[in-house]
Coordinates of all heavy atoms in Angstrom, one line a residue:
M1 N -12.6 20.0 -28.3 CA -12.5 19.9 -26.9 C -11.9 18.6 -26.5 O -12.1 17.5 -27.1 CB -13.9 19.9 -26.3 CG -14.3 21.1 -25.5 SD -15.7 20.7 -24.5 CE -16.7 22.0 -25.0
S2 N -11.1 18.6 -25.5 CA -10.4 17.4 -25.1 C -11.1 16.9 -23.8 O -11.6 17.7 -23.0 CB -8.9 17.6 -24.8 OG -8.8 18.5 -23.7
T3 N -11.1 15.6 -23.6 CA -11.7 15.0 -22.4 C -10.5 14.6 -21.5 O -9.5 14.2 -22.0 CB -12.5 13.8 -22.8 OG1 -11.7 12.9 -23.4 CG2 -13.7 14.2 -23.6
P4 N -10.8 14.7 -20.2 CA -9.7 14.3 -19.3 C -9.4 12.8 -19.4 O -10.4 12.0 -19.6 CB -10.2 14.7 -17.9 CG -11.7 14.8 -18.1 CD -12.0 15.2 -19.5
N5 N -8.2 12.4 -19.2 CA -7.8 11.0 -19.2 C -8.3 10.4 -17.9 O -8.1 10.9 -16.9 CB -6.3 10.8 -19.4 CG -5.8 11.3 -20.7 OD1 -6.6 11.4 -21.6 ND2 -4.5 11.5 -20.8
R6 N -8.9 9.2 -18.1 CA -9.4 8.5 -16.9 C -8.6 7.2 -16.8 O -8.2 6.6 -17.8 CB -10.8 8.1 -17.1 CG -11.7 9.3 -17.0 CD -13.2 8.9 -17.0 NE -14.0 10.1 -17.1 CZ -15.3 10.0 -16.9 NH1 -15.9 8.9 -16.7 NH2 -16.0 11.1 -17.0
P7 N -8.3 6.8 -15.6 CA -7.6 5.5 -15.5 C -8.4 4.4 -16.0 O -9.7 4.4 -15.8 CB -7.3 5.4 -14.0 CG -8.2 6.4 -13.3 CD -8.6 7.4 -14.4
R8 N -7.8 3.4 -16.6 CA -8.6 2.3 -17.1 C -9.1 1.4 -16.0 O -10.2 0.8 -16.1 CB -7.7 1.5 -18.1 CG -7.4 2.2 -19.3 CD -6.6 1.4 -20.3 NE -6.4 2.1 -21.5 CZ -6.0 1.6 -22.6 NH1 -5.7 0.3 -22.7 NH2 -5.8 2.3 -23.7
K9 N -8.3 1.2 -15.0 CA -8.7 0.3 -13.9 C -9.2 1.2 -12.8 O -8.5 2.2 -12.4 CB -7.6 -0.6 -13.4 CG -7.3 -1.7 -14.4 CD -6.3 -2.6 -13.7 CE -6.0 -3.8 -14.6 NZ -5.0 -4.7 -14.0
S10 N -10.3 0.9 -12.2 CA -10.7 1.7 -11.0 C -9.9 1.2 -9.8 O -9.5 0.1 -9.7 CB -12.2 1.4 -10.7 OG -12.4 0.1 -10.4
R11 N -9.6 2.2 -8.9 CA -8.8 1.9 -7.7 C -9.6 1.0 -6.8 O -10.8 1.3 -6.5 CB -8.4 3.2 -7.1 CG -7.4 3.1 -6.0 CD -6.8 4.4 -5.6 NE -7.4 5.1 -4.5 CZ -7.4 4.6 -3.3 NH1 -7.0 3.4 -3.0 NH2 -7.9 5.2 -2.2
L12 N -9.0 0.0 -6.2 CA -9.6 -0.8 -5.3 C -9.9 -0.1 -4.0 O -9.1 0.8 -3.6 CB -8.8 -2.0 -4.9 CG -8.6 -3.0 -6.0 CD1 -7.6 -4.1 -5.6 CD2 -9.9 -3.7 -6.5
P13 N -11.0 -0.3 -3.3 CA -11.3 0.3 -2.1 C -10.2 -0.1 -1.0 O -9.7 -1.2 -1.1 CB -12.7 -0.2 -1.6 CG -13.1 -1.1 -2.7 CD -12.1 -1.2 -3.7
D14 N -10.0 0.8 -0.1 CA -9.0 0.5 1.0 C -9.5 -0.6 1.9 O -10.7 -0.9 2.0 CB -8.8 1.8 1.8 CG -7.9 2.8 1.0 OD1 -7.2 2.4 0.2 OD2 -8.1 4.0 1.3
C15 N -8.6 -1.2 2.6 CA -8.9 -2.2 3.7 C -9.8 -1.5 4.7 O -9.5 -0.4 5.2 CB -7.6 -2.7 4.2 SG -7.8 -3.8 5.6
E16 N -10.8 -2.2 5.2 CA -11.7 -1.7 6.2 C -11.0 -1.5 7.6 O -11.4 -0.7 8.4 CB -12.9 -2.6 6.4 CG -13.8 -2.7 5.3 CD -15.0 -3.7 5.5 OE1 -15.1 -4.2 6.6 OE2 -15.7 -3.9 4.5
L17 N -9.9 -2.2 7.8 CA -9.2 -2.1 9.0 C -7.9 -1.2 8.9 O -7.1 -1.1 9.9 CB -8.7 -3.4 9.5 CG -9.9 -4.4 9.8 CD1 -9.4 -5.8 10.3 CD2 -10.8 -3.8 10.9
R18 N -7.8 -0.5 7.8 CA -6.6 0.4 7.6 C -6.7 1.6 8.6 O -7.7 2.2 8.8 CB -6.6 1.0 6.2 CG -5.5 1.8 5.9 CD -5.5 2.3 4.4 NE -4.5 3.3 4.2 CZ -3.3 3.1 3.9 NH1 -2.8 1.9 4.0 NH2 -2.4 4.1 3.7
E19 N -5.5 1.8 9.2 CA -5.4 3.0 10.2 C -4.6 4.0 9.4 O -3.5 3.8 8.9 CB -4.6 2.5 11.4 CG -5.3 1.5 12.2 CD -4.5 1.0 13.4 OE1 -3.5 1.8 13.8 OE2 -4.7 0.0 13.9
A20 N -5.1 5.3 9.5 CA -4.5 6.4 8.7 C -3.1 6.7 9.3 O -2.2 7.0 8.6 CB -5.4 7.6 8.7
E21 N -3.0 6.7 10.6 CA -1.8 7.2 11.3 C -0.7 6.1 11.2 O 0.5 6.4 11.0 CB -2.0 7.5 12.7 CG -2.8 8.8 12.9 CD -4.3 8.6 12.8 OE1 -4.7 7.5 13.3 OE2 -5.0 9.4 12.3
R22 N -1.1 4.8 11.3 CA -0.1 3.7 11.3 C -0.6 2.6 10.4 O -1.2 1.6 10.8 CB 0.1 3.2 12.7 CG 0.7 4.1 13.7 CD 0.9 3.5 15.0 NE -0.4 3.2 15.6 CZ -0.7 2.1 16.3 NH1 0.2 1.3 16.6 NH2 -1.9 1.9 16.8
P23 N -0.5 2.8 9.1 CA -1.0 1.7 8.2 C -0.3 0.4 8.4 O 1.0 0.4 8.3 CB -0.8 2.3 6.8 CG 0.2 3.4 6.9 CD 0.1 3.9 8.4
T24 N -1.0 -0.6 8.6 CA -0.4 -1.9 8.8 C -0.8 -2.9 7.8 O -0.7 -4.1 7.9 CB -0.8 -2.5 10.2 OG1 -2.2 -2.5 10.3 CG2 -0.3 -1.7 11.3
C25 N -1.4 -2.4 6.7 CA -1.9 -3.3 5.6 C -0.7 -3.8 4.8 O 0.3 -3.1 4.7 CB -2.8 -2.5 4.7 SG -4.3 -2.0 5.5
A26 N -0.9 -5.0 4.4 CA 0.2 -5.7 3.5 C -0.5 -6.4 2.4 O -1.5 -7.1 2.6 CB 1.0 -6.6 4.4
G27 N 0.0 -6.2 1.2 CA -0.5 -6.8 0.0 C -1.4 -5.9 -0.7 O -2.0 -5.0 -0.2
R28 N -1.5 -6.1 -2.1 CA -2.3 -5.3 -2.9 C -3.6 -5.9 -3.3 O -4.5 -5.2 -3.7 CB -1.5 -4.9 -4.2 CG -0.4 -4.0 -3.9 CD 0.3 -3.6 -5.2 NE 1.3 -4.7 -5.5 CZ 1.7 -5.0 -6.7 NH1 1.3 -4.3 -7.7 NH2 2.6 -6.0 -6.8
E29 N -3.7 -7.2 -3.2 CA -5.0 -7.9 -3.6 C -6.0 -7.5 -2.5 O -5.7 -7.4 -1.3 CB -4.8 -9.4 -3.6 CG -3.8 -9.9 -4.6 CD -4.4 -9.7 -6.0 OE1 -5.6 -9.6 -6.2 OE2 -3.6 -9.7 -7.0
Q30 N -7.3 -7.4 -3.0 CA -8.3 -7.2 -2.1 C -9.0 -8.5 -1.8 O -9.3 -9.3 -2.7 CB -9.4 -6.2 -2.6 CG -10.4 -5.9 -1.6 CD -11.5 -4.9 -2.0 OE1 -11.5 -4.6 -3.2 NE2 -12.2 -4.4 -1.1
V31 N -9.3 -8.8 -0.5 CA -10.0 -10.0 -0.1 C -11.3 -9.7 0.4 O -11.5 -8.7 1.1 CB -9.1 -10.7 1.0 CG1 -9.8 -12.0 1.4 CG2 -7.7 -10.9 0.5
V32 N -12.3 -10.5 0.0 CA -13.7 -10.3 0.5 C -14.0 -11.6 1.3 O -14.0 -12.7 0.8 CB -14.7 -10.2 -0.6 CG1 -16.1 -10.0 -0.1 CG2 -14.3 -9.0 -1.6
L33 N -14.2 -11.3 2.6 CA -14.6 -12.4 3.5 C -16.1 -12.2 3.9 O -16.6 -11.1 4.0 CB -13.8 -12.4 4.8 CG -12.3 -12.7 4.7 CD1 -11.6 -12.5 6.0 CD2 -12.1 -14.1 4.2
V34 N -16.8 -13.3 3.9 CA -18.3 -13.3 4.2 C -18.6 -14.1 5.5 O -18.1 -15.2 5.6 CB -19.0 -13.9 3.0 CG1 -20.5 -13.8 3.2 CG2 -18.6 -13.2 1.7
G35 N -19.4 -13.5 6.3 CA -19.9 -14.1 7.5 C -21.1 -15.0 7.3 O -21.7 -15.0 6.2
L36 N -21.5 -15.7 8.3 CA -22.7 -16.5 8.2 C -24.0 -15.7 7.8 O -24.9 -16.2 7.2 CB -23.0 -17.3 9.4 CG -21.9 -18.4 9.7 CD1 -22.2 -19.0 11.1 CD2 -21.9 -19.4 8.6
D37 N -24.0 -14.4 8.3 CA -25.1 -13.6 8.0 C -25.1 -12.9 6.7 O -26.0 -12.1 6.3 CB -25.2 -12.5 9.1 CG -24.0 -11.7 9.2 OD1 -23.0 -11.9 8.5 OD2 -24.0 -10.7 10.0
G38 N -24.0 -13.2 5.9 CA -23.9 -12.6 4.5 C -23.2 -11.3 4.5 O -23.0 -10.7 3.5
F39 N -22.8 -10.8 5.7 CA -22.1 -9.5 5.8 C -20.7 -9.7 5.2 O -19.9 -10.6 5.5 CB -22.0 -9.0 7.2 CG -21.3 -7.7 7.4 CD1 -21.9 -6.5 7.0 CD2 -20.0 -7.6 7.9 CE1 -21.3 -5.3 7.2 CE2 -19.4 -6.4 8.0 CZ -20.0 -5.2 7.6
E40 N -20.3 -8.8 4.3 CA -19.0 -8.8 3.6 C -18.0 -7.8 4.2 O -18.4 -6.7 4.6 CB -19.1 -8.5 2.1 CG -19.9 -9.5 1.3 CD -20.0 -9.1 -0.2 OE1 -19.5 -8.1 -0.6 OE2 -20.5 -10.0 -0.9
R41 N -16.8 -8.3 4.3 CA -15.7 -7.4 4.8 C -14.6 -7.4 3.7 O -14.2 -8.4 3.3 CB -15.1 -8.0 6.1 CG -16.1 -8.0 7.2 CD -15.4 -8.2 8.5 NE -14.7 -6.9 8.9 CZ -14.2 -6.7 10.1 NH1 -14.2 -7.7 11.0 NH2 -13.6 -5.6 10.4
R42 N -14.2 -6.2 3.3 CA -13.2 -6.0 2.3 C -11.9 -5.7 3.0 O -11.8 -4.6 3.6 CB -13.6 -5.0 1.3 CG -14.9 -5.4 0.6 CD -15.4 -4.3 -0.4 NE -16.7 -4.7 -0.9 CZ -16.8 -5.6 -1.9 NH1 -15.8 -6.2 -2.4 NH2 -18.0 -5.9 -2.4
L43 N -10.9 -6.5 2.9 CA -9.6 -6.4 3.6 C -8.4 -6.6 2.8 O -8.5 -7.3 1.7 CB -9.6 -7.4 4.8 CG -10.8 -7.3 5.8 CD1 -10.9 -8.6 6.6 CD2 -10.8 -6.1 6.6
C44 N -7.3 -6.2 3.3 CA -6.0 -6.5 2.6 C -5.7 -7.9 3.1 O -6.2 -8.5 4.0 CB -4.9 -5.5 3.1 SG -4.5 -5.7 4.8
P45 N -4.7 -8.6 2.4 CA -4.4 -10.0 2.8 C -3.9 -10.1 4.2 O -4.2 -11.1 4.9 CB -3.2 -10.3 1.8 CG -3.5 -9.5 0.6 CD -4.1 -8.2 1.2
A46 N -3.1 -9.2 4.8 CA -2.6 -9.3 6.1 C -3.8 -9.3 7.1 O -3.9 -10.1 8.1 CB -1.6 -8.2 6.4
H47 N -4.7 -8.3 7.0 CA -5.8 -8.2 7.9 C -6.8 -9.4 7.7 O -7.4 -9.9 8.7 CB -6.5 -6.9 7.8 CG -5.8 -5.8 8.4 ND1 -5.5 -4.6 7.8 CD2 -5.3 -5.6 9.7 CE1 -4.8 -3.8 8.6 NE2 -4.7 -4.4 9.8
A48 N -7.0 -9.8 6.5 CA -7.9 -10.9 6.2 C -7.3 -12.2 6.8 O -8.1 -13.0 7.4 CB -8.0 -11.1 4.7
A49 N -6.0 -12.4 6.8 CA -5.4 -13.6 7.4 C -5.7 -13.6 8.9 O -6.1 -14.6 9.5 CB -4.0 -13.6 7.2
A50 N -5.5 -12.4 9.6 CA -5.7 -12.3 11.0 C -7.2 -12.5 11.4 O -7.5 -13.3 12.3 CB -5.3 -10.9 11.5
V51 N -8.1 -11.9 10.6 CA -9.5 -12.1 10.9 C -10.0 -13.5 10.6 O -10.7 -14.1 11.4 CB -10.3 -11.0 10.1 CG1 -11.8 -11.3 10.2 CG2 -10.0 -9.6 10.6
W52 N -9.5 -14.1 9.5 CA -9.9 -15.4 9.1 C -9.4 -16.5 10.1 O -10.2 -17.4 10.4 CB -9.4 -15.7 7.7 CG -9.7 -17.0 7.1 CD1 -10.9 -17.5 6.7 CD2 -8.8 -18.1 7.0 NE1 -10.8 -18.8 6.3 CE2 -9.5 -19.2 6.4 CE3 -7.4 -18.3 7.2 CZ2 -8.9 -20.4 6.1 CZ3 -6.8 -19.5 6.9 CH2 -7.6 -20.5 6.3
L53 N -8.2 -16.3 10.6 CA -7.7 -17.3 11.6 C -8.4 -17.2 12.9 O -8.5 -18.2 13.7 CB -6.2 -17.0 11.8 CG -5.3 -17.5 10.7 CD1 -3.9 -17.0 10.9 CD2 -5.4 -19.0 10.5
T54 N -9.0 -16.0 13.3 CA -9.6 -15.9 14.6 C -11.1 -16.1 14.5 O -11.8 -16.2 15.6 CB -9.4 -14.5 15.2 OG1 -9.8 -13.5 14.2 CG2 -7.9 -14.3 15.5
D55 N -11.7 -16.1 13.3 CA -13.2 -16.3 13.2 C -13.4 -17.5 12.2 O -13.4 -17.2 11.0 CB -13.9 -15.1 12.8 CG -15.4 -15.2 12.8 OD1 -15.9 -16.3 13.0 OD2 -16.1 -14.2 12.6
P56 N -13.7 -18.7 12.7 CA -13.8 -19.8 11.8 C -15.1 -19.8 11.0 O -15.2 -20.6 10.1 CB -13.8 -21.0 12.8 CG -14.2 -20.5 14.1 CD -13.7 -19.1 14.1
T57 N -16.0 -18.9 11.3 CA -17.3 -18.9 10.5 C -17.1 -18.1 9.2 O -18.0 -18.2 8.3 CB -18.4 -18.2 11.3 OG1 -18.1 -16.9 11.6 CG2 -18.6 -19.0 12.6
L58 N -16.0 -17.4 9.0 CA -15.8 -16.6 7.8 C -15.4 -17.5 6.6 O -14.7 -18.5 6.8 CB -14.8 -15.5 8.0 CG -15.1 -14.4 9.0 CD1 -13.9 -13.5 9.2 CD2 -16.3 -13.6 8.5
R59 N -15.8 -17.1 5.5 CA -15.4 -17.8 4.3 C -15.1 -16.8 3.2 O -15.5 -15.7 3.2 CB -16.5 -18.8 3.8 CG -17.8 -18.1 3.4 CD -18.9 -19.1 3.1 NE -20.1 -18.4 2.6 CZ -21.0 -17.7 3.2 NH1 -20.8 -17.6 4.5 NH2 -22.0 -17.2 2.6
F60 N -14.3 -17.3 2.2 CA -13.9 -16.4 1.1 C -15.1 -16.3 0.1 O -15.7 -17.2 -0.2 CB -12.7 -17.0 0.4 CG -11.4 -16.9 1.2 CD1 -11.0 -18.1 1.9 CD2 -10.7 -15.8 1.3 CE1 -9.9 -18.1 2.6 CE2 -9.5 -15.8 2.1 CZ -9.1 -16.9 2.7
S61 N -15.3 -15.1 -0.3 CA -16.4 -14.8 -1.3 C -15.9 -15.3 -2.7 O -14.7 -15.3 -3.0 CB -16.6 -13.3 -1.3 OG -17.4 -13.0 -2.4
A62 N -16.9 -15.6 -3.5 CA -16.6 -15.9 -4.9 C -16.0 -14.7 -5.7 O -15.5 -14.9 -6.7 CB -17.9 -16.4 -5.6
K63 N -16.2 -13.5 -5.1 CA -15.6 -12.3 -5.7 C -14.1 -12.3 -5.6 O -13.5 -11.5 -6.2 CB -16.2 -11.1 -5.0 CG -17.7 -11.0 -5.2 CD -18.2 -9.8 -4.4 CE -19.7 -9.8 -4.4 NZ -20.2 -8.7 -3.5
C64 N -13.5 -13.1 -4.7 CA -12.1 -13.1 -4.5 C -11.4 -13.7 -5.7 O -11.8 -14.8 -6.1 CB -11.7 -13.9 -3.2 SG -12.0 -13.0 -1.7
R65 N -10.3 -13.1 -6.0 CA -9.4 -13.8 -7.0 C -8.6 -14.8 -6.4 O -8.3 -14.7 -5.2 CB -8.6 -12.7 -7.7 CG -9.4 -11.7 -8.5 CD -8.5 -10.6 -9.1 NE -7.4 -11.2 -9.8 CZ -6.3 -10.5 -10.1 NH1 -6.2 -9.3 -9.7 NH2 -5.3 -11.1 -10.7
V66 N -8.1 -15.8 -7.1 CA -7.3 -16.9 -6.6 C -6.0 -16.3 -6.0 O -5.5 -16.7 -4.9 CB -6.9 -17.9 -7.7 CG1 -5.9 -18.9 -7.2 CG2 -8.2 -18.6 -8.2
E67 N -5.5 -15.2 -6.6 CA -4.2 -14.6 -6.1 C -4.5 -14.0 -4.7 O -3.6 -14.0 -3.9 CB -3.8 -13.5 -7.1 CG -3.3 -14.1 -8.4 CD -4.4 -14.3 -9.4 OE1 -5.6 -14.0 -9.1 OE2 -4.1 -14.8 -10.5
A68 N -5.7 -13.5 -4.5 CA -6.0 -12.8 -3.2 C -6.0 -13.9 -2.1 O -5.5 -13.7 -1.0 CB -7.3 -12.1 -3.3
I69 N -6.7 -15.0 -2.4 CA -6.7 -16.1 -1.4 C -5.3 -16.7 -1.2 O -5.0 -16.9 0.0 CB -7.7 -17.2 -1.9 CG1 -9.1 -16.7 -2.0 CG2 -7.6 -18.4 -1.0 CD1 -10.1 -17.6 -2.7
S70 N -4.5 -16.8 -2.2 CA -3.1 -17.2 -2.0 C -2.4 -16.3 -1.1 O -1.6 -16.7 -0.3 CB -2.5 -17.4 -3.4 OG -1.1 -17.7 -3.3
A71 N -2.6 -15.0 -1.3 CA -1.9 -14.0 -0.5 C -2.3 -14.1 1.0 O -1.5 -14.0 1.9 CB -2.2 -12.6 -1.0
V72 N -3.5 -14.4 1.2 CA -4.0 -14.6 2.6 C -3.4 -15.8 3.2 O -2.9 -15.8 4.4 CB -5.6 -14.7 2.7 CG1 -6.0 -15.1 4.1 CG2 -6.2 -13.4 2.2
M73 N -3.3 -16.9 2.5 CA -2.7 -18.1 3.0 C -1.2 -17.9 3.3 O -0.7 -18.4 4.3 CB -2.9 -19.3 2.0 CG -4.3 -19.7 1.8 SD -5.0 -20.2 3.4 CE -6.7 -19.7 3.2
W74 N -0.6 -17.1 2.4 CA 0.8 -16.8 2.6 C 1.0 -16.0 3.9 O 1.9 -16.3 4.7 CB 1.4 -16.1 1.4 CG 2.9 -15.9 1.4 CD1 3.8 -16.8 0.9 CD2 3.6 -14.8 1.9 NE1 5.0 -16.3 1.2 CE2 5.0 -15.1 1.8 CE3 3.2 -13.6 2.5 CZ2 5.9 -14.2 2.2 CZ3 4.2 -12.7 3.0 CH2 5.6 -13.1 2.8
Q75 N 0.1 -15.0 4.1 CA 0.2 -14.2 5.3 C -0.1 -15.1 6.6 O 0.6 -14.9 7.6 CB -0.8 -13.1 5.2 CG -0.4 -12.0 4.3 CD 0.7 -11.1 4.8 OE1 0.9 -11.0 6.0 NE2 1.4 -10.5 3.9
A76 N -1.1 -15.9 6.4 CA -1.5 -16.7 7.6 C -0.5 -17.8 8.0 O -0.2 -18.0 9.2 CB -2.8 -17.4 7.3
F77 N 0.1 -18.5 7.0 CA 0.9 -19.6 7.4 C 2.4 -19.5 7.0 O 3.1 -20.4 7.2 CB 0.3 -20.9 6.7 CG -1.1 -21.2 7.1 CD1 -2.1 -21.0 6.2 CD2 -1.4 -21.5 8.4 CE1 -3.4 -21.3 6.6 CE2 -2.7 -21.8 8.8 CZ -3.7 -21.7 7.9
G78 N 2.7 -18.3 6.5 CA 4.1 -18.1 6.1 C 4.5 -18.9 4.9 O 4.8 -20.1 5.1
G79 N 4.6 -18.3 3.8 CA 4.9 -19.1 2.6 C 6.4 -19.1 2.3 O 6.8 -19.5 1.2
G80 N 7.2 -18.7 3.2 CA 8.6 -18.6 2.9 C 8.9 -17.4 2.0 O 8.2 -16.4 2.0
R81 N 9.8 -17.6 1.1 CA 10.2 -16.6 0.1 C 9.2 -16.6 -1.0 O 8.8 -17.6 -1.5 CB 11.6 -16.8 -0.4 CG 12.6 -16.6 0.6 CD 13.9 -16.7 -0.1 NE 15.0 -16.2 0.9 CZ 16.2 -16.2 0.6 NH1 16.7 -16.7 -0.5 NH2 17.1 -15.8 1.5
R82 N 8.9 -15.4 -1.5 CA 8.0 -15.3 -2.7 C 8.8 -15.1 -3.9 O 9.8 -14.6 -4.0 CB 7.1 -14.1 -2.5 CG 6.0 -14.4 -1.6 CD 5.0 -13.3 -1.7 NE 3.7 -13.9 -2.0 CZ 2.6 -13.3 -2.1 NH1 2.6 -12.0 -2.0 NH2 1.5 -13.9 -2.4

């Protein structure tokens, strides 16, 4: 009997702010922002930058990879050419 092939990496969950009709997400890294109450939001870098810039109480979770935080900073402040 053969077993079905499974992907080695699990697919990252979608951005919480993703719109099905008009996707405006940018970036592949997933960012986890945490509020003062401990509530976590999982977002793409573009949405994370917008939310992070408008809510100063949010902080990056330790679950975030350095590349994800870098992508948010690039989206927020314009990193020029990549």
Side-chain angles (χ1 to χ4, degrees):
M1 247 199 236
S2 66
T3 58
N5 292 343
R6 293 185 183 190
R8 290 183 180 195
K9 289 187 176 181
S10 61
R11 192 166 97 57
L12 292 173
D14 287 332
C15 175
E16 292 178 7
L17 298 178
R18 181 177 170 81
E19 296 177 19
E21 290 81 37
R22 293 179 299 144
T24 56
C25 295
R28 288 183 277 154
E29 295 289 340
Q30 182 178 17
V31 181
V32 181
L33 293 175
V34 182
L36 293 176
D37 58 356
F39 182 74
E40 293 184 354
R41 296 193 75 171
R42 298 177 186 282
L43 305 166
C44 69
H47 284 125
V51 171
W52 180 71
L53 286 170
T54 56
D55 186 352
T57 63
L58 294 174
R59 63 190 188 280
F60 293 97
S61 167
K63 298 175 186 176
C64 283
R65 295 177 49 202
V66 173
E67 294 85 1
I69 297 171
S70 174
V72 171
M73 294 301 147
W74 189 87
Q75 288 286 334
F77 302 112
R81 291 185 171 179
R82 279 190 128 180

